[in-house]
């Protein structure tokens, strides 16, 4: 009997579209939208814009979505447009968002976050909380050194936030221990000069991270996915290096309470949100190094805008999941187009950082210079015309191209 010709994904993307079990759930493919600020929150709650934005990614065929950072405590609230996950009020609106994502088959996890010293008193008039009174290189304000009671309060807040995310129906949570935020501030010797049990040698500097992991797992339960995001390298004098992290990650995962490791980076040498002058895939080697020291699924990032490159990363065993965040902002249908072999139809991210990162730094909701429907998915949805006719669009400028689309 003659057999049907293989589908494009089985020939060109046999790794990218292979399902993967991550803790308590299985993703349908290896494409990830990592946590990134959207500016869509309303009064500290998930909004309808969140629903349509994240649902469009799920409809486009992505495997896994991670929400933007979610403050776990009032001292972490740096902007009203963030989701205030320390309040039970976020549970009900989050359920609507999760239902919209699940309708199209993707999984969604929430990123639990505290900025530590990486914020400004201009937001709420209060000094930032941090392990030591060492000013942030970005905000240049000396933070408040956390007391033992405050450390315990924050640890409990991480756990309580995980409980809310489970009640809201999300598939898991990701502990943010990267990008110079609070947990990494405790781990790094450049930001932790404490003299108590949370400072000094590496074991003490890891104590806060261990306690947060324990609290999150206890609150989430054994059948709920818990991951962690780390910086593979801080790229700063005296900071954590990839060799340090190869030693630290096995310590963080030894308890068996984590289900994956998401590897990012921080530092002026290489921008976390890599601009166009950074070569695509430049920092995948960090994830590849962490894969050498853990059996957990490892996620990578680094201006990966091409499914062919993503396939190569997976085939070379450099990572298990590939973060294609801005690529997916630029074209939410990228996974479906790649799976169907429609590579020429993919709208490519050019890493201009204009509509996404640039707008967030000016306290504006994100969009995309290449895809103006971002953040306006409900209003700009294209549906087949009831009465079909031939139309000529005259003019190839912005308006003409958008009309043609």
């Amino acid at each position: 009997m003659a057999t049907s010709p293989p589908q494009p994904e089985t020939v060109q993307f046999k790794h990218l579209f292979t399902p993967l079990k991550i803790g308590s759930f299985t993703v349908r493919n290896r494409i990830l939208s990592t946590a990134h600020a959207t500016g869509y929150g309303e009064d500290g709650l998930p909004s309808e814009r969140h629903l349509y934005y994240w649902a469009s990614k799920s409809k486009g065929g992505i495997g896994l979505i991670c929400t933007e950072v979610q403050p776990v405590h009032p001292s972490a609230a740096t902007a009203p447009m963030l989701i205030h996950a320390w309040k039970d009020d976020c549970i009900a609106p989050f359920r609507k968002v999760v239902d919209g994502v699940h309708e199209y088959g993707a999984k969604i996890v929430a990123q639990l976050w505290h900025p530590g010293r990486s914020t400004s008193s201009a937001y709420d008039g209060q000094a930032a909380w941090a392990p030591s009174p060492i000013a942030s290189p970005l905000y240049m304000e000396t933070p408040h050194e956390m007391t033992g009671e405050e450390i315990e309060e924050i640890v409990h807040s991480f756990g309580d936030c995980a409980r809310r995310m489970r009640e809201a129906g999300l598939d898991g949570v990701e502990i943010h221990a990267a990008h110079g935020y609070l947990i990494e501030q405790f781990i790094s010797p450049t930001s932790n000069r404490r003299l108590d049990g949370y400072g000094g040698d590496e074991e003490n500097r890891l104590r806060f991270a261990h306690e947060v992991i324990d609290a999150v797992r206890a609150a989430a339960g054994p059948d709920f996915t818990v991951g962690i995001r780390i910086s593979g390298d801080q790229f700063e004098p005296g900071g954590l290096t990839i060799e340090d992290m190869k030693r630290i990650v096995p310590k963080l995962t030894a308890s068996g309470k984590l289900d994956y490791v998401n590897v990012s980076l921080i530092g002026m040498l290489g921008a976390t949100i890599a601009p166009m002058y950074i070569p695509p895939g430049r920092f995948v080697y960090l994830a590849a190094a962490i894969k050498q020291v853990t059996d957990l699924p490892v996620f990578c990032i680094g201006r990966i805008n091409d499914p062919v490159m993503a396939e190569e990363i997976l085939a070379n065993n450099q990572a298990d999941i590939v973060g294609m965040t801005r690529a997916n902002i630029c074209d939410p249908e990228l996974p479906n187009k790649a799976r169907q072999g429609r590579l020429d139809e993919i709208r490519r991210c050019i890493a201009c950082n204009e509509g996404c990162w640039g707008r967030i730094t000016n306290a504006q909701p994100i969009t995309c210079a290449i895809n103006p429907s971002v953040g306006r998915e409900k209003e700009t949805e294209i549906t087949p015309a009831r009465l079909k006719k031939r139309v000529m669009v005259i003019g190839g400028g912005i308006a003409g191209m958008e009309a043609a689309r």
Side-chain angles (χ1 to χ4, degrees):
M1 179 181 294
T3 58
S4 300
Q7 293 300 307
E9 67 265 26
T10 64
V11 175
Q12 190 169 10
F13 298 113
K14 66 178 182 179
H15 296 91
L16 194 60
F17 292 98
T18 299
L20 177 68
K21 191 173 190 304
I22 307 173
S24 59
F25 62 76
T26 297
V27 290
R28 59 187 170 186
N29 60 53
R30 310 299 183 90
I31 303 174
L32 161 72
S33 175
T34 60
H36 57 282
T38 65
Y40 299 155
E42 296 179 359
D43 298 322
L45 299 174
S47 68
E48 185 180 62
R49 290 184 82 176
H50 279 126
L51 166 60
Y52 283 93
Y53 176 67
W54 285 327
S56 74
K57 296 178 184 297
S58 183
K59 186 178 181 180
I62 203 166
L64 181 61
I65 297 167
C66 187
T67 70
E68 58 203 298
V69 295
Q70 295 182 198
V72 300
H73 186 267
S75 62
T78 60
M81 60 189 180
L82 292 176
I83 298 170
H84 295 172
W86 74 85
K87 299 178 179 179
D88 285 349
D89 293 352
C90 74
I91 296 174
F94 238 134
R95 286 190 183 125
K96 297 179 182 178
V97 172
V98 172
D99 288 345
V101 169
H102 285 169
E103 179 181 354
Y104 298 105
K107 302 297 182 183
I108 182 168
V109 299
Q111 189 177 75
L112 312 185
W113 171 80
H114 194 296
R117 68 180 184 175
S118 297
T119 186
S120 172
S121 60
Y123 290 113
D124 60 5
Q126 304 297 316
W129 290 18
S132 299
I134 302 172
S136 161
L138 180 60
Y139 292 95
M140 301 302 294
E141 294 184 19
T142 301
H144 160 70
E145 183 174 40
M146 295 169 65
T147 66
E149 291 76 14
E150 288 166 342
I151 290 174
E152 183 178 352
E153 183 178 340
I154 297 300
V155 168
H156 175 78
S157 295
F158 269 95
D160 213 25
C161 187
R163 185 264 306 168
R164 292 186 187 94
M165 296 303 100
R166 175 157 191 156
E167 290 184 16
L170 282 93
D171 300 292
V173 292
E174 179 177 280
I175 299 167
H176 199 340
H179 301 169
Y181 294 129
L182 184 62
I183 296 177
E184 188 172 274
Q185 288 164 30
F186 270 93
I187 297 174
S188 176
T190 63
S191 48
N192 184 346
R193 306 287 172 80
R194 299 179 72 92
L195 301 176
D196 60 5
Y198 291 93
D201 63 25
E202 187 170 276
E203 300 309 313
N204 279 354
R205 287 185 281 111
L206 286 172
R207 189 182 306 277
F208 179 69
H210 283 302
E211 291 181 354
V212 168
I213 293 169
D214 290 346
V216 169
R217 175 54 72 191
D223 57 343
F224 193 67
T225 296
V226 177
I228 192 167
R229 193 169 206 195
I230 63 162
S231 296
D233 201 313
Q234 287 192 306
F235 292 115
E236 64 175 287
L240 299 167
T241 67
I242 186 58
E243 293 305 317
D244 293 324
M245 298 312 297
K246 287 172 67 176
R247 184 179 62 252
I248 287 171
V249 167
K251 295 178 181 180
L252 295 176
T253 60
S255 66
K257 296 179 180 179
L258 293 174
D259 296 307
Y260 70 81
V261 181
N262 186 352
V263 183
S264 188
L265 64 137
I266 188 176
M268 297 306 294
L269 179 63
T272 305
I273 307 172
M276 60 177 65
Y277 59 80
I278 300 290
R282 171 68 177 82
F283 300 106
V284 173
Y285 77 93
L286 296 173
I290 297 302
K291 265 193 72 66
Q292 298 173 9
V293 299
T294 181
D295 292 328
L296 295 178
V298 172
F299 303 175
C300 72
I301 59 108
R303 204 193 154 203
I304 303 162
N305 65 354
D306 183 353
V308 175
M309 173 180 282
E311 174 70 16
E312 291 175 354
I313 291 167
L314 298 169
N316 293 333
N317 200 34
Q318 295 174 286
D320 302 289
I321 294 278
V322 180
M324 301 184 71
T325 307
R326 284 176 296 166
N328 196 256
I329 293 174
C330 191
D331 193 344
E333 288 288 326
L334 181 151
N336 284 341
K337 291 176 180 178
R339 183 175 53 81
Q340 296 162 6
R342 298 156 52 207
L343 300 186
D344 290 344
E345 296 181 30
I346 293 174
R347 184 190 297 114
R348 306 281 177 154
C349 170
I350 60 173
C352 67
N353 286 349
E354 179 66 29
C356 50
W357 183 237
R359 285 178 60 86
I360 279 295
T361 58
N362 288 304
Q364 296 176 306
I366 68 167
T367 185
C368 177
I370 310 298
N371 177 14
S373 65
V374 171
R376 295 183 287 271
E377 288 80 8
K378 181 180 179 181
E379 296 84 357
T380 60
E381 182 181 9
I382 297 176
T383 57
R386 287 176 294 179
L387 176 61
K388 294 185 178 182
K389 62 179 72 174
R390 296 177 65 86
V391 176
M392 176 180 288
V393 177
I394 301 174
I398 295 173
M401 294 302 289
E402 183 62 9
R405 184 183 76 86

